[in-house]
Amino acid sequence: MGCRDVHAATVLAFLSGTASVAGLLAAVLLPNWRQMRLYTFNKNERNLTVYTGLWIKCARFDGSRDCVIYDPQWYTAVDQLDLRVLQFALPLSMFTAVSALFLCLIGMCNTAFVSTVPNIKLAKCLVNSAGCHLVAGLLFLLACAICLTPSIWVIFYNNYLNRKYEPVFSFDISVFIAIASAGGLFFTSVLLFLWYCACKSLPSPFWQPLYSHAPSMHSYASQPYSARSRLSAIEIDIPVVSHAS
């Protein structure tokens, strides 16, 4: 597998990373991180469910889609530690994943559109596709850790709230979306690492630039030398005849 080719692994990694970032964006915007269900024993009233998100809070009666209470300023008064941590962790995870996607796209474009034979003088300044994918894989792994840890903490914190108050709290669909997106980020990083290991020629250093040694200096500079050697051998075989005056 040559590092200068665009393989299905890198394309699949880019698509998987894009889908994971879209999932993170949906988890951030949806007001469905925690539900607090309030029951009433009055037959003339309906039960109330409070949907808590990272930025807004909405209270709805059973069977209704309209918010009886809508608080768009909830993000400034969040009183639950896990949601407050998620307000910083998920945007940071999205920024890290988008940076990784940008690096992955640079590496793919470089392998697709840049000539395989670089200029000797510019060999050290060229974009290293293998390096781009390797750093992108590390960033995807970091984004996964930043997203996954506080998302799982929501589940345990929800149990803590039920023990401290009443068993009326439950985590909602945004938790599953965030965990699934973290799994997608991890899958993306694994694909990029597998691509890098398959491209990595052994023995070679861990950081393997595509042009660590200018290929044109080895493959193209040796041809004139070989030709000259053959010519020299021919010249040596030609007898030299000298005439005495």
Side-chain angles (χ1 to χ4, degrees):
M1 183 182 293
C3 290
R4 295 184 180 88
D5 301 327
V6 178
H7 298 282
T10 57
V11 178
L12 181 60
F14 182 80
L15 295 177
S16 175
T18 304
S20 300
V21 172
L24 282 179
L25 181 61
V28 167
L29 297 180
L30 286 175
N32 297 98
W33 278 93
R34 175 169 289 123
Q35 291 184 12
M36 183 174 62
R37 188 168 177 80
L38 304 177
Y39 297 93
T40 179
F41 298 99
N42 190 345
K43 296 183 179 180
N44 297 324
E45 296 181 358
R46 290 179 293 177
N47 296 329
L48 184 70
T49 303
V50 180
Y51 297 89
T52 304
L54 301 183
W55 317 106
I56 60 174
K57 178 186 285 188
C58 174
R60 296 174 183 171
F61 287 114
D62 288 356
S64 175
R65 293 182 175 271
D66 298 328
C67 294
V68 180
I69 301 174
Y70 180 80
D71 186 7
Q73 302 298 324
W74 164 247
Y75 66 93
T76 62
V78 174
D79 57 354
Q80 301 169 12
L81 183 58
D82 57 342
L83 299 184
R84 178 65 75 181
V85 172
L86 282 168
Q87 285 182 339
F88 295 95
L90 289 190
L92 179 60
S93 177
M94 288 179 56
F95 176 78
T96 306
V98 169
S99 301
L101 282 176
F102 182 70
L103 276 177
C104 187
L105 185 61
I106 290 177
M108 291 171 60
C109 291
N110 180 69
T111 55
F113 301 109
V114 176
S115 174
T116 57
V117 180
N119 188 350
I120 300 177
K121 297 181 180 179
L122 300 177
K124 296 181 179 180
C125 302
L126 292 177
V127 175
N128 181 5
S129 298
C132 286
H133 291 308
L134 179 62
V135 176
L138 293 174
L139 290 178
F140 277 124
L141 191 61
L142 178 61
C144 170
I146 296 174
C147 170
L148 185 62
T149 304
S151 299
I152 294 179
W153 186 33
V154 172
I155 301 175
F156 295 97
Y157 197 82
N158 189 78
N159 296 331
Y160 165 75
L161 291 177
N162 286 328
R163 290 192 305 268
K164 184 177 180 180
Y165 300 103
E166 295 182 7
V168 294
F169 297 95
S170 61
F171 50 88
D172 209 346
I173 188 173
S174 293
V175 178
F176 301 104
I177 294 177
I179 294 176
S181 299
L185 294 174
F186 180 77
F187 175 72
T188 304
S189 65
V190 169
L191 278 178
L192 292 176
F193 289 151
L194 289 177
W195 179 88
Y196 178 82
C197 292
C199 288
K200 187 173 181 290
S201 59
L202 297 176
S204 63
F206 177 75
W207 179 269
Q208 182 217 10
L210 287 183
Y211 308 123
S212 55
H213 57 276
S216 57
M217 294 177 63
H218 293 265
S219 59
Y220 293 92
S222 59
Q223 293 180 2
Y225 179 78
S226 302
R228 185 175 180 180
S229 300
R230 290 194 297 269
L231 290 176
S232 300
I234 295 174
E235 291 174 359
I236 292 173
D237 293 339
I238 297 176
V240 178
V241 180
S242 59
H243 298 278
S245 55

